[in-house]
Amino acid sequence: MSSSVNREFCPHCREFVASRTFRDHQKEFYVDGKWIIASRKRTVLESASEEQRSPKLDRANAPILQPLTDGPIIELDTYQNEQDGQVREDTVIPNDTEAISQADQYEFEVSNQLAPEPADDIRDSSDTEDEMEDDDIFDIHETFYVDESSESDEEMPFQQSVAVTSSLRHVTIDLSIKWLILLLQLWTVHHSFSANSVTELLPLFVVFVQSFLDKNTEDDLCLLNAIPKTWKACQKFLGINPKATSYFAVCAKCYKLHRVNELKTILVEGSNNLIVERCSFIAFPHHVQANRRTRCGSLIADIIRSPAGQPTIKGRIIFPYKSLIESLQQLLMRKGFSEKLEEWRHKCRESHLFTDIYSGNVWKEWTSDFFSSERSLGLMLNIDWFQPFKKVQNSVAPIYLVLMNLPRNERYKRENLILVGIIPNLEKEPTSLNTFLKPLVDELKDLWSGIRFSTFDSPIFKFRYRAALLCVACDIPAARKVCGFKGHAATKGCSKCSKEFPGSIGQKDYSGFDVSTWPKRNLLEHKRIAHQILGCTSRAAMENISTKYGVRYSSLLDLEYFDVIRFCIVDPMHNLFLGTAKHMFKKIWIERGILDSKRLPQIQMRVNSIKVPSTIGRIPCKIASNFAEFKADEWKNWTLIFSLFSLRNELPQEDFKCWQVFVKACRLLTRPSITSEEISQAHSLLIQFCRTVERLYGKEAITPNMHLHCHLAECIRDFGPIYSFWLFSFERYNGMLGKFPTNCKRIESQVMERFQLEQQLYSYLDSMQPHVLFSPLATKITSFQKEKVKVVHSKIHKYQRSPILEMRWEDTAEYFLFNFHKSNQLLSLEKLETLRKMLSIIFSSQVPSLEDLPRSIISCKCAYLGEEIFSSIHNYLFSKHGYVTAQWCDDEGKLITDTHSGIISRPGKIQQIFCYKFTSVQKKAINIPIAEVYWSKSLQSRTNHYGSELLMWNREDFNDVPSTFVPLARLNGKYAPAFGTFEDAAAGHVNMTTSPAVSNSVLFTCPIQLKIFFD
């Protein structure tokens, strides 16, 4: 008889029976851990010795690896874990009025007498009644494998049951089943499918496995019965527990946190009803008026009874929290993770070039002390509210942490992100987040002292790790709440300086950009004021001091090392693009009538006419609807690439020049690597822009973001280029969390469990024994969501801009990856002679005669430099990656042997890419990647009316000149081509045309920076 979801194999009957029959037979014929079969007792485990029933498998020799435990094993030197065990969202009430304190006990019996095992009330939101029945079935079969003579009440893992049989075939099948279940879980979480969808797929999986088994063999039938039937059974099968470490009930009035398992119950006098104690928080216990020292008294939890009649405490608002220490332990148990944390120590960096967070002053200063020893971790914190539902006001705030020690290409990967908690939806956003940060701060204190962790390479001998919070990266409202500052509408509303902004709320004056007169905030003074506020005995006294100094108390001040002023950065994404760029277009140009809204469709046409590579991200496509629902990435691309070409002749000349200054500053700041001189230049440009805005549009046009523009430079000097700390990655993860399937109730707990499940699956994947078929599939599934940031050596920066005679061009091939054509090609004699002239300039006397040079070249379809792609414009798939710029030739097409600041990068079109190998006069083999580029000619006797940020070029190109061939490493940028007609040079009017075939058209170049990250 074939098995199904509702039928199970009964060892007593030796056949499949109904689930209810199986339960009845288990009660009657399963005695003392043995099944009664055919009128005699026979144990299923009788052929296995004690050692076989409890095998001690090691990583090297075990055919089947042990699953991960519910929680990591951490040796604590100074850390006393207050969260031992598993604290669930709900806690069942004991018979007496005192709450049971065991954190790992989920439900407790009310009656002192033996009662049936309570039903599991708290299930996945998408579980059905059938799925609940399946869970019970699976539990029964687990007792089938358990040796009840053991003192432990824990169920024996499935892996130990496989050790009962000596059949290698069963070992192979079991390993395959584990791989299939793991891949199914990974596939589900990556594509955000519900639990029900997995449950519906599992019967097909059972049928598939059954086709390979002998249904007449008892061992095969036992193995078949052990296959999980539901979503949660799959997690149990793998030994994964995605529940959060702790669940807190949140007071809706004072935001005080209460551990659910520690809440006490009160017996109502005169009845048998139980109620949960109310919030006992006293805001001002030392208030001079006695009636102001009362407790909050708000309801924080209710008593819910399960279908079995068990009373359970359920918090009204739940804050799920995952221990940071346990998360770190989980990460360190991954293969190669601890080595990645130390890679930054072996990188050689140039002092004048900011390439990553390690180039910033904060990291350098801490390197001499905190980071001088290995296993010292730097953390970055982000908190940001987002709405998981489009048409419902329901804002939640994840609390993310990132390990700054990780390389740039690993730091923001999905599997390396730490989610410690999710602040639930509240009727009103709190002015302070101290209550939600306190559990994290307590753990950060212990990590500052040091805690011992196991690692993948050393699971037994533990190493001491230390960690410090060095950066808080949030938008303005969240940053103020986390670090303890008044909001931007306060008189002293800046977190970096004490400049006063006069005016009432909504009428603040943020003007004035004499930066040298701005008094800087002092950390010691800030701490003194914060502790003075903490000691206030009334709300009025606290608000008076807070308003006067623009300071609030933050629980982060409990960390002795934390600098709330310096470590609180200005986010460039919100500051530049979602802030000023959006404000200028919508609030100033449109609302004031400077830009005619009727011209928006024309602007959209110009945007659509620009040819851009696919790697730049979102293209602005809703300009005609007044930039409706623009995302941050669209505002960034609009500002950096599209805006200057699209707004030419649409804005007054003075307004357009003002915007050009802002665009130029943004292009400097958004470089993946930036020099100290470029930081200073961008800082000066932003100050110039803000002063121009104040002059053109008045003081009321100045915003808090414009004031914070003047503090961006110090953030970059402290933490490296803006790619190191801006919030694009965190915003993307907010969108990912919002797509998780939920039942729209208590979404914080559901989202947290889903995220933790994914993190544990990554760890389990590292512990799995490799499989020739399944391992590549797992890599493919997990690679869909991974960041694809690739780093290259910082020396490539010199090849792009330094004098060409000073560089060793024969060493550049190692920086690129090539996609070659199947066969080599031959250069014509004319092109070979032109190539030799170029090689003679950059290699001097090393180049042999024309007769000794090979004509054969290794042609490439495309070349990769980090994330960037270079290809010919004749390559259909990558044609838009063939528009490049370089400081290579002058207005006459001659090579520029020396470079200086006045040289402009010339645009060109790649005709082909190839690797050229030849032997020098000194008998040295040289291999150099070369691009054949047709460089655009300059416009003759015509002035560029749009400045250096929007250049016009002749449609004609240089060809058959030595500069036509250029080393691939010399290319320093790309551009998006656009075309217009030049009709009135004197007036500066250029009419747009989408066709490059017009005889009097000119080429406009919209610069695109190379996204090259240096190691």
Side-chain angles (χ1 to χ4, degrees):
M1 183 182 298
S2 61
S3 66
S4 64
V5 175
N6 297 320
R7 302 186 68 82
E8 299 297 330
F9 178 80
C10 177
H12 170 76
C13 303
R14 300 182 62 82
E15 64 180 0
F16 283 95
V17 298
S19 299
R20 184 182 298 275
T21 303
F22 176 84
R23 293 189 181 95
D24 294 339
H25 285 193
Q26 190 206 29
K27 294 178 181 178
E28 184 176 357
F29 302 111
Y30 187 61
V31 182
D32 297 332
K34 303 175 182 179
W35 280 91
I36 300 175
I37 302 176
S39 302
R40 68 182 181 88
K41 290 188 177 181
R42 177 188 174 193
T43 175
V44 176
L45 302 181
E46 63 185 2
S47 61
S49 64
E50 183 66 26
E51 183 178 356
Q52 287 175 313
R53 290 195 295 270
S54 301
K56 298 182 179 179
L57 304 179
D58 56 61
R59 183 182 291 112
N61 301 320
I64 301 170
L65 299 180
Q66 294 290 344
L68 296 178
T69 58
D70 288 349
I73 301 174
I74 306 175
E75 179 180 329
L76 309 179
D77 292 340
T78 60
Y79 181 69
Q80 296 296 327
N81 193 353
E82 299 177 357
Q83 305 168 356
D84 52 335
Q86 187 90 11
V87 180
R88 299 298 181 98
E89 179 180 341
D90 301 341
T91 302
V92 180
I93 304 168
N95 193 32
D96 58 356
T97 58
E98 293 293 328
I100 298 180
S101 60
Q102 287 183 320
D104 61 345
Q105 191 170 355
Y106 185 38
E107 294 183 342
F108 307 97
E109 296 183 6
V110 177
S111 173
N112 291 328
Q113 300 178 355
L114 292 178
E117 185 175 352
D120 188 3
D121 294 325
I122 311 302
R123 291 185 171 268
D124 187 85
S125 59
S126 56
D127 283 351
T128 62
E129 294 181 2
D130 292 339
E131 190 171 348
M132 294 181 183
E133 182 180 356
D134 293 339
D135 277 340
D136 297 336
I137 294 172
F138 186 75
D139 292 340
I140 291 174
H141 279 284
E142 285 196 332
T143 60
F144 175 79
Y145 290 104
V146 173
D147 182 3
E148 294 188 354
S149 62
S150 174
E151 295 181 359
S152 174
D153 293 333
E154 297 182 356
E155 296 175 346
M156 185 177 296
F158 171 78
Q159 284 77 2
Q160 295 184 13
S161 68
V162 179
V164 173
T165 177
S166 60
S167 172
L168 181 60
R169 172 173 169 269
H170 281 180
V171 172
T172 304
I173 293 175
D174 176 70
L175 181 60
S176 300
I177 291 174
K178 286 202 299 181
W179 266 109
L180 285 171
I181 294 297
L182 177 60
L183 291 177
L184 181 62
Q185 292 275 303
L186 287 170
W187 174 75
T188 303
V189 297
H190 274 301
H191 295 282
S192 300
F193 288 119
S194 66
N196 273 343
S197 62
V198 179
T199 303
E200 292 174 0
L201 284 176
L202 284 171
L204 300 177
F205 173 61
V206 172
V207 174
F208 173 77
V209 175
Q210 184 179 353
S211 64
F212 293 94
L213 297 177
D214 185 357
K215 295 183 286 295
N216 296 322
T217 305
E218 182 177 335
D219 292 336
D220 283 357
L221 291 173
C222 293
L223 185 64
L224 186 63
N225 285 335
I227 298 176
K229 308 296 190 302
T230 64
W231 163 265
K232 288 199 171 183
C234 289
Q235 299 172 20
K236 197 172 185 180
F237 178 85
L238 297 175
I240 291 176
N241 183 8
K243 294 289 184 180
T245 303
S246 304
Y247 287 95
F248 294 90
V250 184
C251 176
K253 182 179 179 180
C254 65
Y255 311 117
K256 177 70 175 177
L257 301 185
H258 305 264
R259 291 185 185 274
V260 174
N261 68 305
E262 295 178 358
L263 290 175
K264 297 181 181 180
T265 58
I266 301 173
L267 183 63
V268 179
E269 187 176 355
S271 68
N272 294 327
N273 296 331
L274 294 174
I275 61 174
V276 184
E277 63 175 341
R278 294 173 177 256
C279 178
S280 59
F281 177 70
I282 303 176
F284 300 98
H286 304 292
H287 200 285
V288 294
Q289 300 177 8
N291 61 342
R292 298 296 181 91
R293 304 178 206 149
T294 58
R295 297 183 177 184
C296 173
S298 299
L299 287 173
I300 56 178
D302 297 313
I303 295 180
I304 307 297
R305 291 190 178 272
S306 67
Q310 294 289 344
T312 304
I313 294 179
K314 176 173 286 190
R316 292 192 166 189
I317 304 175
I318 292 297
F319 171 57
Y321 180 80
K322 173 68 175 179
S323 169
L324 170 60
I325 293 176
E326 291 189 11
S327 298
L328 288 175
Q329 176 65 92
Q330 182 175 303
L331 291 173
L332 289 169
M333 289 303 294
R334 293 183 185 170
K335 184 177 181 180
F337 191 85
S338 57
E339 289 79 5
K340 291 178 182 178
L341 294 173
E342 305 297 331
E343 285 183 8
W344 66 273
R345 300 181 184 275
H346 311 296
K347 306 295 184 181
C348 297
R349 294 177 177 84
E350 302 178 24
S351 57
H352 72 288
L353 188 64
F354 292 83
T355 59
D356 200 359
I357 205 164
Y358 318 119
S359 306
N361 294 332
V362 169
W363 198 274
K364 289 180 179 178
E365 293 171 10
W366 279 59
T367 300
S368 59
D369 184 15
F370 179 75
F371 291 116
S372 59
S373 59
E374 293 185 353
R375 294 180 288 277
S376 299
L377 309 179
L379 298 171
M380 178 187 296
L381 172 69
N382 170 262
I383 300 178
D384 188 17
W385 273 263
F386 77 98
Q387 293 190 13
F389 311 117
K390 290 185 177 180
K391 298 182 180 181
V392 180
Q393 290 292 94
N394 190 326
S395 297
V396 298
I399 304 176
Y400 299 110
L401 283 169
V402 166
L403 287 166
M404 300 159 68
N405 301 61
L406 289 172
R408 184 200 290 265
N409 59 327
E410 295 282 341
R411 190 176 305 146
Y412 295 104
K413 280 185 177 180
R414 187 166 170 172
E415 63 267 31
N416 297 332
L417 190 69
I418 300 175
L419 179 63
V420 295
I422 300 180
I423 300 175
N425 177 54
L426 303 168
E427 292 185 3
K428 182 181 178 181
E429 287 189 9
T431 57
S432 172
L433 300 179
N434 291 335
T435 56
F436 299 101
L437 291 174
K438 189 179 185 307
L440 175 62
V441 171
D442 291 341
E443 290 193 280
L444 287 172
K445 290 179 183 178
D446 300 314
L447 286 168
W448 175 251
S449 301
I451 290 181
R452 294 188 176 274
F453 290 96
S454 300
T455 63
F456 180 85
D457 296 321
S458 180
I460 299 178
F461 180 79
K462 299 177 175 61
F463 294 97
R464 181 173 177 265
Y465 279 80
R466 297 181 66 199
L469 180 64
L470 299 183
C471 181
V472 174
C474 307
D475 58 10
I476 295 178
R480 301 292 195 269
K481 295 174 182 179
V482 172
C483 292
F485 296 97
K486 292 283 284 186
H488 57 275
T491 302
K492 291 186 176 181
C494 179
S495 60
K496 296 292 184 181
C497 68
S498 298
K499 184 180 184 300
E500 295 187 0
F501 306 123
S504 59
I505 296 178
Q507 302 293 329
K508 290 292 182 181
D509 181 6
Y510 298 100
S511 63
F513 294 94
D514 188 0
V515 180
S516 60
T517 63
W518 296 354
K520 293 185 177 181
R521 288 188 181 268
N522 180 270
L523 179 61
L524 295 178
E525 180 68 10
H526 182 95
K527 287 184 175 181
R528 184 189 67 80
I529 298 171
H531 283 90
Q532 184 180 352
I533 292 173
L534 187 63
C536 289
T537 59
S538 67
R539 189 175 303 278
M542 183 177 65
E543 286 297 326
N544 288 337
I545 299 176
S546 180
T547 302
K548 182 178 179 180
Y549 297 103
V551 174
R552 296 186 187 274
Y553 179 79
S554 169
S555 58
L556 295 182
L557 291 173
D558 294 343
L559 303 174
E560 58 183 89
Y561 58 84
F562 191 78
D563 188 338
V564 293
I565 300 172
R566 191 179 186 186
F567 294 170
C568 180
I569 59 98
V570 177
D571 172 46
M573 183 191 77
H574 288 89
N575 181 249
L576 296 174
F577 305 120
L578 288 177
T580 297
K582 183 178 181 180
H583 175 75
M584 290 294 294
F585 190 92
K586 303 186 72 171
K587 297 296 183 181
I588 295 182
W589 295 337
I590 296 294
E591 289 188 3
R592 298 191 180 194
I594 298 173
L595 182 62
D596 188 357
S597 58
K598 296 180 181 180
R599 297 289 297 173
L600 294 182
Q602 182 74 4
I603 294 176
Q604 183 68 65
M605 287 179 58
R606 293 187 177 185
V607 169
N608 297 339
S609 69
I610 301 175
K611 301 178 181 179
V612 293
S614 58
T615 54
I616 69 164
R618 293 176 179 264
I619 300 175
C621 58
K622 294 183 180 180
I623 297 175
S625 59
N626 197 12
F627 286 75
E629 299 181 0
F630 253 37
K631 304 296 184 182
D633 200 34
E634 290 173 296
W635 281 112
K636 176 176 71 72
N637 290 332
W638 160 257
T639 302
L640 299 178
I641 301 174
F642 299 96
S643 64
L644 290 182
F645 176 75
S646 303
L647 293 174
R648 59 187 178 85
N649 306 326
E650 300 293 342
L651 290 174
Q653 186 175 5
E654 200 168 9
D655 299 75
F656 186 79
K657 288 184 178 179
C658 174
W659 180 249
Q660 273 187 311
V661 174
F662 179 75
V663 172
K664 186 175 183 179
C666 290
R667 286 177 178 173
L668 285 172
L669 293 175
T670 53
R671 290 184 175 178
S673 60
I674 187 171
T675 63
S676 182
E677 294 76 14
E678 290 170 338
I679 296 175
S680 300
Q681 182 183 359
H683 178 67
S684 300
L685 288 171
L686 286 175
I687 294 177
Q688 178 186 344
F689 164 75
C690 294
R691 290 173 176 172
T692 306
V693 171
E694 182 179 351
R695 177 175 57 84
L696 291 178
Y697 311 113
K699 295 181 178 180
E700 61 275 9
I702 304 300
T703 63
N705 277 314
M706 293 181 183
H707 172 85
L708 290 174
H709 289 343
C710 304
H711 294 296
L712 265 178
E714 58 187 281
C715 293
I716 295 175
R717 295 186 190 278
D718 280 339
F719 294 100
I722 63 176
Y723 281 88
S724 302
F725 58 86
W726 67 3
L727 303 187
F728 275 104
S729 295
F730 296 113
E731 291 287 337
R732 183 167 58 254
Y733 288 125
N734 281 348
M736 178 196 74
L737 296 184
K739 294 179 181 178
F740 283 169
T742 66
N743 64 355
C744 303
K745 299 177 181 179
R746 296 178 177 269
I747 62 171
E748 302 85 11
S749 301
Q750 298 175 57
V751 169
M752 189 73 173
E753 290 178 15
R754 191 79 174 210
F755 185 88
Q756 296 303 330
L757 170 63
E758 184 172 350
Q759 300 300 90
Q760 292 187 33
L761 287 174
Y762 281 121
S763 299
Y764 193 90
L765 182 60
D766 285 340
S767 70
M768 281 290 288
Q769 181 180 345
H771 195 284
V772 66
L773 296 178
F774 298 118
S775 296
L777 289 176
T779 303
K780 186 176 182 180
I781 292 175
T782 56
S783 65
F784 280 137
Q785 303 294 340
K786 290 184 178 180
E787 299 283 338
K788 297 182 180 179
V789 178
K790 301 177 182 178
V791 295
V792 297
H793 200 284
S794 59
K795 286 183 179 179
I796 197 71
H797 184 267
K798 295 182 178 179
Y799 288 102
Q800 295 173 345
R801 302 185 182 274
S802 299
I804 61 176
L805 301 180
E806 299 178 1
M807 308 309 299
R808 293 176 54 87
W809 297 101
E810 62 272 21
D811 298 334
T812 58
E814 61 184 271
Y815 303 124
F816 294 88
L817 295 176
F818 301 95
N819 186 1
F820 295 107
H821 285 287
K822 294 183 179 180
S823 59
N824 295 348
Q825 299 180 8
L826 296 178
L827 286 177
S828 64
L829 292 176
E830 293 79 7
K831 287 190 175 182
L832 182 62
E833 184 176 0
T834 305
L835 175 60
R836 184 187 180 279
K837 292 179 181 178
M838 185 275 291
L839 295 175
S840 299
I841 295 175
I842 66 174
F843 288 111
S844 186
S845 59
Q846 299 183 46
V847 181
S849 62
L850 184 63
E851 294 75 15
D852 295 332
L853 281 177
R855 291 179 58 188
S856 176
I857 61 173
I858 307 174
S859 181
C860 305
K861 297 179 182 178
C862 56
Y864 299 87
L865 179 63
E867 286 192 357
E868 286 297 337
I869 303 173
F870 295 102
S871 179
S872 167
I873 61 171
H874 306 297
N875 186 335
Y876 176 76
L877 293 177
F878 301 106
S879 60
K880 295 178 182 179
H881 294 275
Y883 298 96
V884 296
T885 61
Q887 294 179 350
W888 184 245
C889 66
D890 57 17
D891 291 340
E892 298 179 358
K894 298 180 180 179
L895 264 70
I896 302 174
T897 57
D898 194 7
T899 58
H900 53 82
S901 58
I903 296 179
I904 299 176
S905 295
R906 184 173 297 273
K909 300 182 285 291
I910 297 179
Q911 305 301 309
Q912 64 173 330
I913 298 174
F914 58 90
C915 290
Y916 189 66
K917 297 181 180 180
F918 68 96
T919 303
S920 66
V921 176
Q922 292 80 11
K923 304 302 180 182
K924 179 182 178 181
I926 296 177
N927 179 19
I928 177 173
I930 293 175
E932 182 183 2
V933 182
Y934 287 176
W935 302 106
S936 298
K937 295 182 179 180
S938 301
L939 289 173
Q940 299 296 326
S941 66
R942 288 176 177 175
T943 306
N944 190 354
H945 297 278
Y946 299 103
S948 59
E949 297 309 306
L950 181 63
L951 297 177
M952 294 186 297
W953 300 87
N954 199 316
R955 290 294 319 277
E956 298 179 0
D957 302 320
F958 292 111
N959 50 44
D960 297 331
V961 294
S963 61
T964 302
F965 295 99
V966 55
L968 203 57
R970 188 65 178 181
L971 305 179
N972 60 14
K974 293 182 179 180
Y975 71 94
F979 300 95
T981 57
F982 199 100
E983 294 181 352
D984 189 358
H989 296 302
V990 179
N991 295 329
M992 189 276 296
T993 177
T994 59
S995 175
V998 180
S999 58
N1000 61 341
S1001 66
V1002 295
L1003 169 68
F1004 287 85
T1005 56
C1006 305
I1008 300 175
Q1009 296 178 13
L1010 297 182
K1011 193 178 291 186
I1012 300 176
F1013 299 100
F1014 299 138
D1015 58 7

